[in-house]
Amino acid sequence: MDSSHPSQQHAETRLVTSGRDTKAQKGFVNPPVFHGSTVLYPTAEDLHAHRGEFQYGRHGTPTTRAFQETLMALEGPQCAGVGIVPSGLSAISTTLLSVLKTGDHLLVCDNVYRPSRNFCNGMLARLGIETTYFDPLIGAGIDKLFKPNTRAVLVEAPGSQSFEMPDIRAIAEVAHARDALVIDDNTWATPLYHRSLDQGVDISMQAATKYIGGHSDIMFGTISANAKAWPQIAEGIRLLGVCAGPDDVFLALRGLRTLSVRLAQHHRSGLDMARWLAARPEVARVLHPALETDPGHAIWKRDFTGASGLFSIVLKPAPQKAVDTMLDTLKLFGMGFSWGGFESLVIPFDCDAYRTATKWSPGGPTLRLHIGLESVDDLKSDLDRGFAALRAAM
Ligand SMILES: *Cc1c(COP(=O)(O)O)cnc(C)c1O
């Protein structure tokens, strides 16, 4: 293997070597933050021809170029382009608006991020685009939900609350036979652990707010597409006028450089905590596809090379007040939305409040945990105190 050529390098190496132009940066390792709107053209002829590497701030800067090249190298050879947008939700809305039109039909997995559903039920419905939700475990059975006007299927693997694992390969096979695009929200695994474009996905989106940023300090979204879908995405981004702030692009690139070590630790600590929690008497079930006992484990093992630090647990039946006491006792697990940063988090959730294609009856209170980069021993003793408070409040 010739490791001097990027296509022969491992993902960890590509994350470090891609998108670097040391000469253009006067020897410095990283590109500066280009704050810019106007780009000056040297001659009238250049102006008329739109000649030049960069034309306008909204269309990109050397910093965004470096980020795009690095993420493309991580996505793999199927990736024809990477779009940059101001948030994860913007990646979802921009993608759907780019590939759908009035009269189209969209299939959406019942376990997707709730604001994705809100976008479909709100703006897409208003534009005359119909959405049908489907069981995350439907697999090739999705065929019967297709209509002549079905243009796209939106999946999230695993769903970031209930952690069911849709079979993207089976769904993609059906979708492509029906001439529909497959869109994947790949935020949980990132392309480091799930090369979704290699597995039949046409458009792979990420809330880069999460693991790519990695430090809970930016809002950022990415849309990676194959050659079939990229022209529509590029046009959609241009028409909608979305872009991201220069400091956030810089921080996202900085996050990409260390993604492999952070994610490896989230994987290890997450699994360690998941196993520990599975053995606790207060816990009825742990929802984590990398656990051998998880119903989605076979698909995870086939399609993913790692897991991140986000998973859920179902507690044995307990009054909400007792669970709240537990949450208030925790010191290392902060309560807050989002995840993917260096810090541990916990949040109660209720999937049944919004699902429509499937009923989700966990049989007890549900908590979603993000395992950060703290020592797992400290995290366990924090949860130990939390469980003691839960028992005392029952
Ligand atoms: C957080 C999240 C989003 C939205 O990202 P924002 O940057 O917060 O807009 C989309 N999908 C998933 C799975 C997420 O967890």
Side-chain angles (χ1 to χ4, degrees):
M1 188 151 134
D2 175 11
S3 66
S4 67
H5 196 274
S7 65
Q8 299 293 311
Q9 292 168 352
H10 290 94
E12 292 82 357
T13 308
R14 273 179 275 128
L15 276 173
V16 170
T17 56
S18 307
R20 302 246 313 262
D21 188 354
T22 310
K23 231 164 62 225
Q25 290 148 205
K26 302 186 191 297
F28 284 94
V29 170
N30 292 297
V33 182
F34 278 82
H35 281 272
S37 53
T38 304
V39 178
L40 300 177
Y41 295 84
T43 67
E45 196 192 323
D46 290 319
L47 177 71
H48 293 314
H50 300 281
R51 198 178 293 139
E53 209 185 337
F54 297 96
Q55 266 127 44
Y56 188 54
R58 193 192 327 116
H59 302 320
T61 69
T63 327
T64 53
R65 180 73 54 84
F67 177 87
Q68 286 163 319
E69 283 175 9
T70 309
L71 184 54
M72 266 184 88
L74 185 64
E75 296 277 9
Q78 294 301 318
C79 186
V82 166
I84 286 177
V85 293
S87 70
L89 185 54
S90 171
I92 294 157
S93 60
T94 301
T95 295
L96 294 173
L97 286 175
S98 298
V99 304
L100 297 171
K101 62 178 188 313
T102 300
D104 283 350
H105 175 239
L106 169 71
L107 288 168
V108 174
C109 200
D110 213 20
N111 65 354
V112 300
Y113 180 63
R114 192 174 186 177
S116 301
R117 301 174 70 105
N118 296 344
F119 182 76
C120 298
N121 300 341
M123 191 162 290
L124 292 188
R126 186 152 60 69
L127 295 174
I129 297 160
E130 186 201 354
T131 301
T132 302
Y133 293 93
F134 63 86
D135 182 342
L137 306 180
I138 199 166
I142 197 168
D143 194 53
K144 61 181 182 297
L145 298 182
F146 272 78
K147 302 182 181 193
N149 59 336
T150 306
R151 299 262 43 98
V153 183
L154 172 63
V155 291
E156 191 178 308
S160 55
Q161 285 194 324
S162 52
F163 292 90
E164 292 139 306
M165 190 60 102
D167 186 341
I168 291 185
R169 287 177 192 263
I171 290 170
E173 201 167 309
V174 173
H176 292 156
R178 298 279 198 160
D179 207 21
L181 291 169
V182 179
I183 305 167
D184 177 29
D185 183 336
N186 200 21
T187 300
W188 182 78
T190 85
L192 182 64
Y193 287 164
H194 182 216
R195 289 263 294 256
S196 56
L197 295 176
D198 290 349
Q199 298 174 11
V201 167
D202 299 291
I203 303 167
S204 176
M205 311 173 300
Q206 287 180 84
T209 305
K210 312 286 166 58
Y211 284 116
I212 301 237
H215 295 73
S216 305
D217 53 5
I218 58 168
M219 302 299 299
F220 201 67
T222 62
I223 309 169
S224 305
N226 62 15
K228 183 166 64 165
W230 175 245
Q232 282 168 280
I233 296 296
E235 183 195 42
I237 288 174
R238 199 167 263 266
L239 292 177
L240 289 166
V242 285
C243 61
D247 293 299
D248 289 348
V249 179
F250 178 85
L251 289 172
L253 175 60
R254 179 176 160 131
L256 263 186
R257 299 294 184 209
T258 61
L259 180 68
S260 67
V261 281
R262 287 185 289 105
L263 220 49
Q265 189 59 49
H266 286 295
H267 170 113
R268 266 196 302 277
S269 297
L271 258 179
D272 184 332
M273 295 299 293
R275 293 208 166 96
W276 182 81
L277 282 160
R280 291 287 314 196
E282 301 87 352
V283 175
R285 220 149 41 98
V286 178
L287 314 174
H288 190 315
L291 285 181
E292 294 75 6
T293 49
D294 192 89
H297 185 69
I299 292 174
W300 174 82
K301 212 168 159 187
R302 185 192 66 188
D303 294 347
F304 292 63
T305 54
S308 61
L310 191 78
F311 63 92
S312 293
I313 58 173
V314 181
L315 296 172
K316 293 200 179 139
Q320 187 59 48
K321 228 171 120 35
V323 178
D324 286 350
T325 304
M326 170 186 175
L327 295 176
D328 287 340
T329 306
L330 299 174
K331 290 265 192 303
L332 292 177
F333 285 86
M335 272 182 287
F337 296 101
S338 202
W339 41 276
F342 49 77
E343 80 286 16
S344 289
L345 296 167
V346 61
I347 202 92
F349 67 93
D350 176 15
C351 289
D352 225 30
Y354 56 84
R355 283 198 176 216
T356 49
T358 44
K359 185 137 182 62
W360 202 69
S361 312
T366 44
L367 299 175
R368 187 180 72 181
L369 302 172
H370 179 249
I371 305 304
L373 302 177
E374 305 91 341
S375 146
V376 286
D377 293 339
D378 293 339
L379 293 177
K380 285 171 191 169
S381 56
D382 200 35
L383 285 173
D384 253 334
R385 292 188 317 105
F387 284 131
L390 174 75
R391 289 193 306 271
M394 294 274 275

